[in-house]
């Protein structure tokens, strides 16, 4: 079944793939030249990933560290650009290493072209990654 092409539907589909821990399918939703940015990333964490391969490398080990269970409180807002949405959500689950609860609030600004993510600015809480087991990026912290 092909991925949806509207920004809101593609985003919802991407969340389902994350819950299913299907990172290759999630990465397949990206344009080859897509850019993922983390404006609030702490020191030692990437602030910008350029290209599908960089996004894939960043996300490859995500399910080994964070076991997502749900994305409650999902709100997707349309912008004046029909290809861009602003998303408010929480990701809840557990940290695999410590079995501690994981609860992260996100705001994302996401742009889709031709059914693929081209820009994803992820405004997440950097304080949450100070928990043991939350660092799946191999950062230098």
């Amino acid at each position: 079944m092909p991925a949806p092409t509207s920004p809101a539907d593609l985003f919802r589909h991407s969340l389902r793939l994350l819950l299913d821990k299907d990172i290759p399918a999630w990465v397949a939703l990206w344009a080859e030249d897509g850019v993922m940015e983390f404006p609030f990333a702490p020191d030692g964490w990437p602030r910008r990933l350029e290209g599908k391969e960089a996004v894939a490398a960043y996300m490859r080990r995500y399910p080994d560290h964070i076991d997502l269970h749900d994305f409650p409180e999902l709100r997707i807002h349309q912008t004046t650009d029909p290809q861009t949405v602003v998303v408010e959500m929480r990701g809840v689950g557990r940290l695999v290493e410590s079995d501690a609860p994981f609860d992260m609030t996100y705001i994302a600004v996401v742009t889709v072209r031709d059914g693929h993510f081209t820009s994803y600015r992820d405004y997440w809480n950097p304080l949450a990654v100070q928990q043991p087991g939350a660092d799946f990026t191999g950062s230098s912290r």
Side-chain angles (χ1 to χ4, degrees):
M1 179 173 156
T5 58
S6 82
D9 290 344
L10 186 70
F11 194 86
R12 283 185 193 93
H13 179 65
S14 77
L15 295 181
R16 178 80 258 154
L17 293 172
L18 288 176
L19 291 174
D20 291 345
K21 299 168 185 38
D22 191 345
I23 300 304
W26 186 86
V27 170
L29 302 178
W30 281 80
E32 289 299 323
D33 60 351
V35 174
M36 189 169 201
E37 297 175 278
F38 308 97
F40 297 149
D43 289 342
W45 283 63
R47 294 191 189 274
R48 181 177 173 94
L49 305 171
E50 295 187 27
K52 187 183 214 174
E53 286 185 30
V55 171
Y58 176 80
M59 290 296 292
R60 187 168 292 121
R61 296 183 42 191
Y62 190 93
D64 297 334
H65 296 274
I66 300 173
D67 178 19
L68 290 170
H69 299 164
D70 195 10
F71 289 100
E73 302 172 28
L74 175 65
R75 282 182 285 224
I76 300 177
H77 308 279
Q78 190 59 56
T79 68
T80 57
D81 175 351
Q83 299 305 311
T84 300
V85 292
V86 174
V87 179
E88 298 176 85
M89 67 180 180
R90 283 177 49 223
V92 296
R94 68 180 182 88
L95 297 174
V96 174
E97 180 182 306
S98 65
D99 206 34
F102 177 81
D103 192 337
M104 176 80 76
T105 300
Y106 301 87
I107 293 178
V109 180
V110 180
T111 301
V112 172
R113 300 264 186 255
D114 300 322
H116 292 93
F117 295 126
T118 58
S119 175
Y120 191 125
R121 284 191 313 279
D122 193 352
Y123 296 88
W124 53 273
N125 178 2
L127 298 176
V129 299
Q130 294 177 357
Q131 299 178 61
D135 185 354
F136 65 93
T137 67
S139 74
S140 60
R141 289 183 317 109

